[in-house]
Amino acid sequence: MKPAALFLLAACGSSADAPSPVVEPAPTIVEPAPRPEPGVDLAGPIAGTESAPMPRKPAVPFDLAADRAVVKVSVPVPPRGGSVAFTFADERPGWVARIPEAQQLPSVAYGHDRVFVSGGFNSVSFYALDATTGRIEWATTNLEDNGPTAAIVDGEDVLFNTESCTLFSLNAKTGKRNWLRYLGDPTLSQIALVDGLVYSSYPDPEAGGQMLGAFRSKTGAPVWSRSVGAELLATPVISGDSVYVSTIAGMTYRFEHRTGRTRWAKPLRATTAPWIVGDELFVTRRSGAKEQQIVVAVDTGKIVREHRVSAGSYAYDVPSSLESWETVWAFEGSRPVVDRGIHYVAMGNEVIASDAKTGESIWHRRYNTKADARSLGSVALAGSTIVVSSRDGKVFGLDVDTGFTLWSYDIGRKIVAEPIIARGWLYSTTTDGFVIALNVADKSLDGWHMFGGNAAKNGATIAPPTPKPLEGNTTQLDDVSPDALVAKAQPTFETRFKADVEADALDAALARKAAEVRARRSHPVELDPSCLTDVFCRK
């Protein structure tokens, strides 16, 4: 048996690893014949030998609540002008502030560890709230015109339009007025800012229609103006050397942002403000009663690709005239966001991530409502999270790569405006005058500090180093417990309108103020160098 075992070992091994024979010489190893080249034994070459990407299967839509249950948040109801802290979901901190006017609110803007918010369309008030407690830091209730829009923060300044006439710049720390400029009635869209120029739409006093103007951000001095025919959808958008606008008449324009030179004007039937990446512009447009995603060449304004059409027919809600000023003032639409080659958009009741070049879907989430209604607001992007809210008061954080739900909460109040994300906090505004803040993650979840992300309205804010605490705001969230936060955020005489004022008396006072403003809003106003408030102003 021993010779047979040695023979089998030699036959199965190679000459390199077979043990040296003791008696018999190693067998001769015959090298195999060379392997034929691919295709030589066929009639012709093999088709498609070069590697090509496999076509992506369309993503299967699945419900937004399918992978993670929505957590109900019990949000307290503070008195008007007050704020209350609370905890939710495993003792995470949150707060709610109640704006006295009780109107639909636009998005907040974040800066200097504060959030800045309008009092609403019929309000002549504007507020700065502590970003970690909701406590009012300063407030103004005597703006010369009503309807402050969603604001932008630029350095030490906070700027906004008012629907009836005027562009304002305030000091973000104190609320003192830097300047105001009367533009005309109405001015319903938001503003955008870059390189010391702020861009705003306003009525053409001579020819009618609407103008787009550029003004010095430090003085309000006019630089240039161009006709755009009709009021804007949401906001101007700045990218590279140009400013872009879409109007309620369906036109989209590109102007050189420093000179106002018109590069092109195209009837794209746009239903949103555009989003620009490199040499391409992404925008949503009408497709009958539905909406469609298209891609436009920045240099020519020509459509280069047509992508997804919405499942539902809901585009009837896109304003096309000034029949309802408040509708135009509040409208945001299905604005897309494009980042690192991925296109994100909420249309109707769906949130979809797709390849920005091909339009192929990567993931697809659907809210459990009918398709023929705008159930979801516009998307926001912070780090690796897509954030979207539903009209009935739910907020979702979705993983950018997979669409899986990272967190979801139900705050129980109707939301229309785009959510804002800063230093781990999510800020939502409601249609009845509440600002609700949830600490949903650590401070790395950051970057979407105002509508559109930044003051140019075209991407995430680059967060500066953590600022030193402002005067009168020396306590930081990390230094206090939730109980201490609750105590700090309780309404006080200074931070709310008097608690013993009856609600109907406050409503009457606000109505009188708005009536006074409307009576004089067609007349120029003189600059008041004093602190812009008749309530209080923190020095």
Side-chain angles (χ1 to χ4, degrees), residues 152-362:
I152 58 175
V153 179
D154 178 54
E156 299 297 311
D157 304 325
V158 55
L159 301 93
F160 53 89
N161 252 341
T162 54
E163 71 87 3
S164 63
C165 320
T166 307
L167 177 61
F168 285 90
S169 172
L170 310 182
N171 183 284
K173 293 182 179 180
T174 66
K176 289 184 178 180
R177 181 188 302 158
N178 297 320
W179 53 265
L180 63 79
R181 184 166 190 87
Y182 176 83
L183 298 178
D185 194 11
T187 52
L188 303 172
S189 63
Q190 301 175 36
I191 57 176
L193 186 152
V194 75
D195 295 339
L197 294 178
V198 58
Y199 301 86
S200 176
S201 168
Y202 61 94
D204 186 337
E206 298 179 358
Q210 205 79 2
M211 306 289 287
L212 177 71
F215 305 88
R216 300 288 180 195
S217 63
K218 294 301 182 184
T219 65
V223 177
W224 58 259
S225 62
R226 297 290 182 270
S227 175
V228 292
E231 182 58 278
L232 309 189
L233 287 165
T235 182
V237 178
I238 308 160
S239 179
D241 65 353
S242 297
V243 55
Y244 303 80
V245 297
S246 295
T247 74
I248 61 174
M251 292 293 293
T252 302
Y253 295 82
R254 178 189 176 189
F255 302 97
E256 292 183 1
H257 78 77
R258 291 190 178 278
T259 66
R261 175 174 172 260
T262 304
R263 297 293 297 272
W264 49 258
K266 299 290 182 180
L268 298 179
R269 307 197 309 275
T271 59
T272 66
W275 185 276
I276 299 91
V277 178
D279 59 359
E280 293 187 328
L281 177 150
F282 299 81
V283 73
T284 308
R285 73 169 180 180
R286 291 181 189 272
S287 179
K290 299 185 176 184
E291 289 188 313
Q292 181 184 25
Q293 299 302 308
I294 61 172
V295 186
V296 174
V298 161
D299 59 345
T300 64
K302 293 182 179 180
I303 298 174
V304 293
R305 296 191 299 279
E306 298 184 12
H307 289 164
R308 179 179 296 273
V309 176
S310 64
S313 300
Y314 55 84
Y316 56 83
D317 71 345
V318 180
S320 58
S321 71
L322 293 181
E323 180 179 356
S324 171
W325 287 8
E326 188 168 1
T327 298
V328 178
W329 177 86
F331 187 78
E332 295 175 354
S334 303
R335 190 186 181 201
V337 171
V338 180
D339 182 63
R340 291 174 290 181
I342 307 300
H343 177 285
Y344 306 94
V345 70
M347 293 195 298
N349 68 340
E350 298 177 310
V351 189
I352 303 160
S354 58
D355 187 297
K357 291 294 184 185
T358 66
E360 294 177 318
S361 58
I362 298 171

Side-chain angles (χ1 to χ4, degrees), residues 395-458:
V395 288
F396 298 89
L398 309 177
D399 180 80
V400 293
D401 296 322
T402 65
F404 290 154
T405 305
L406 303 173
W407 43 262
S408 57
Y409 300 107
D410 181 359
I411 63 175
R413 293 184 179 276
K414 187 176 179 180
I415 304 171
V416 171
E418 185 175 274
I420 302 304
I421 307 99
R423 295 169 62 82
W425 286 82
L426 170 73
Y427 301 97
S428 300
T429 56
T430 73
T431 59
D432 57 352
F434 288 78
V435 181
I436 300 173
L438 304 177
N439 183 228
V440 296
D442 62 33
K443 293 180 179 179
S444 65
L445 183 66
D446 193 16
W448 202 266
H449 289 184
M450 57 204 78
F451 179 84
N454 58 22
K457 305 301 181 76
N458 198 54

Side-chain angles (χ1 to χ4, degrees), residues 35-67:
R35 187 170 182 173
E37 293 295 327
V40 298
D41 56 341
L42 304 175
I46 300 175
T49 55
E50 294 184 2
S51 61
M54 294 292 291
R56 183 184 283 119
K57 294 182 179 179
V60 177
F62 65 106
D63 190 88
L64 273 170
D67 55 337

